Amino acid sequence: MSYVDDAFAKLKSNLEITQTEQDTAVSRHTGIRDYVTGRWDLTDNFLTGSYRRDTKTKKLKDIDIFIVIDPDGAQAGYRAGAPGDVLDALQNLLADRWPGAYRDGMAVVIPYGKDDEIMSIDVVPAFDRKGGGYIIPDPAAGTWIATNPKRHHELSIVKNAECDGKFVPFVKMVKGINRELGEPVSPSFLLEVMAHALVKAPFGRYQDEIVLFLATTAERIDEQWDDPAGLGGNVNTVMSPTQKLAAAVALRNAQEIAERAVDLEDDEQGRAAYDEWKKLFGNRITRP
């Protein structure tokens, strides 16, 4: 392998969650799930989001928990109420144990510790959806929306297998670039959705795939990108037109840096190429 190939192998490892981080995450999310299960009538509770799909980059920042409310249980009446009602009730429940719990969008957030620790855990209340998937409260829209996070996980597994195990690390890498750039693309799940559509097997070198991905996303960041599970609609609704334009500029600048890095590597200037990649990955990439 080349000098840069070795650096990318270390980058892949550096983006992995450590055993200590994993143990802390398990302790915290298990405690929350046990607490809610002991007080509300649920049919299921499970991890979801990028942590569950193994596409979460360090620092962990947040972990998502779905709690599925029993339609015949004591909390069943929340389904007929305003979407904010169930979130208020869940916040009150969690605040009894974690006083800092607060509502944020479709979840109740439990914040943790300092920046080098898990920063928050998001608890999302849900009901089973007829026909598959789940419905979750969207208080901003005053309605309930359909989603299927378990399907997202299944699709990620399939795509990763098609790409010889390189898709999940690739998604972590492009999310890492986005974070290093100040997160111009929001939500980061949008990058994952775009990767599902744009990345094709056979998967090449990470360096070349990143150049191609940055070039394509810079051109298409303002397009509609639908939930791959087929339920959540357009994922690209968070950014305003101005923010999408800024994201396109940031992605294009990143593409130019990545292209320069590849050209330097082709000229057998591995250390100079590494210095260019470091502009995109920061301390996540280290010398081999």
Side-chain angles (χ1 to χ4, degrees), residues 150-167:
K150 289 186 176 181
R151 181 58 178 157
H152 294 156
H153 184 223
E154 293 167 359
L155 291 170
S156 184
I157 291 172
V158 171
K159 191 74 170 185
N160 197 47
E162 290 174 354
C163 296
D164 295 325
K166 296 180 178 180
F167 178 75

Side-chain angles (χ1 to χ4, degrees), residues 41-271:
D41 296 327
L42 306 179
T43 58
D44 197 5
N45 71 88
F46 56 90
L47 296 176
T48 182
S50 56
Y51 177 81
R52 178 68 179 91
R53 297 188 300 277
D54 198 28
T55 56
K56 173 74 72 181
T57 60
K58 299 196 299 184
K59 302 172 183 176
L60 281 176
K61 193 174 181 180
D62 63 72
I63 295 173
D64 300 316
I65 299 172
F66 255 49
I67 57 165
V68 185
I69 297 171
D70 187 340
D72 298 317
Q75 291 75 38
Y78 289 122
R79 175 64 186 92
D85 292 349
V86 67
L87 289 167
D88 286 339
L90 181 59
Q91 180 188 3
N92 290 335
L93 174 71
L94 294 174
D96 285 341
R97 173 63 178 82
W98 295 274
Y102 63 93
R103 275 181 50 176
D104 184 24
M106 304 172 192
V108 175
V109 181
I110 299 174
Y112 283 96
K114 296 177 285 189
D115 286 348
D116 59 346
E117 298 175 331
I118 299 165
M119 292 177 61
S120 64
I121 293 182
D122 295 4
V123 186
V124 181
F127 285 91
D128 283 312
R129 174 182 175 271
K130 185 177 181 180
Y134 305 89
I135 54 171
I136 60 176
D138 183 356
T143 188
W144 296 75
I145 62 173
T147 186
N148 194 343
K150 289 186 176 181
R151 181 58 178 157
H152 294 156
H153 184 223
E154 293 167 359
L155 291 170
S156 184
I157 291 172
V158 171
K159 191 74 170 185
N160 197 47
E162 290 174 354
C163 296
D164 295 325
K166 296 180 178 180
F167 178 75
V168 166
F170 172 80
V171 170
K172 289 183 178 182
M173 289 177 189
V174 296
K175 285 185 175 182
I177 291 174
N178 188 51
R179 185 173 291 185
E180 190 68 22
L181 296 176
E183 300 188 328
V185 178
S186 181
S188 63
F189 180 55
L190 174 60
L191 289 168
E192 198 166 338
V193 170
M194 297 175 86
H196 268 284
L198 299 175
V199 174
K200 306 294 183 184
F203 191 96
R205 297 189 316 161
Y206 288 119
Q207 300 95 299
D208 300 322
E209 295 287 348
I210 288 171
V211 169
L212 180 60
F213 184 77
L214 291 172
T216 307
T217 52
E219 291 294 326
R220 300 180 60 185
I221 191 63
D222 61 342
E223 294 182 11
Q224 175 173 323
W225 293 91
D226 289 331
D227 172 11
L231 291 179
N234 181 19
V235 177
N236 194 9
T237 60
V238 173
M239 294 181 289
S240 68
T242 300
Q243 289 171 322
K244 289 177 183 178
L245 179 60
V249 171
L251 290 165
R252 203 167 290 114
N253 290 339
Q255 172 199 343
E256 292 173 359
I257 293 171
E259 287 176 340
R260 189 158 58 246
V262 169
D263 288 342
L264 287 166
E265 185 180 1
D266 290 342
D267 291 338
E268 299 183 355
Q269 299 182 57
R271 283 173 171 77

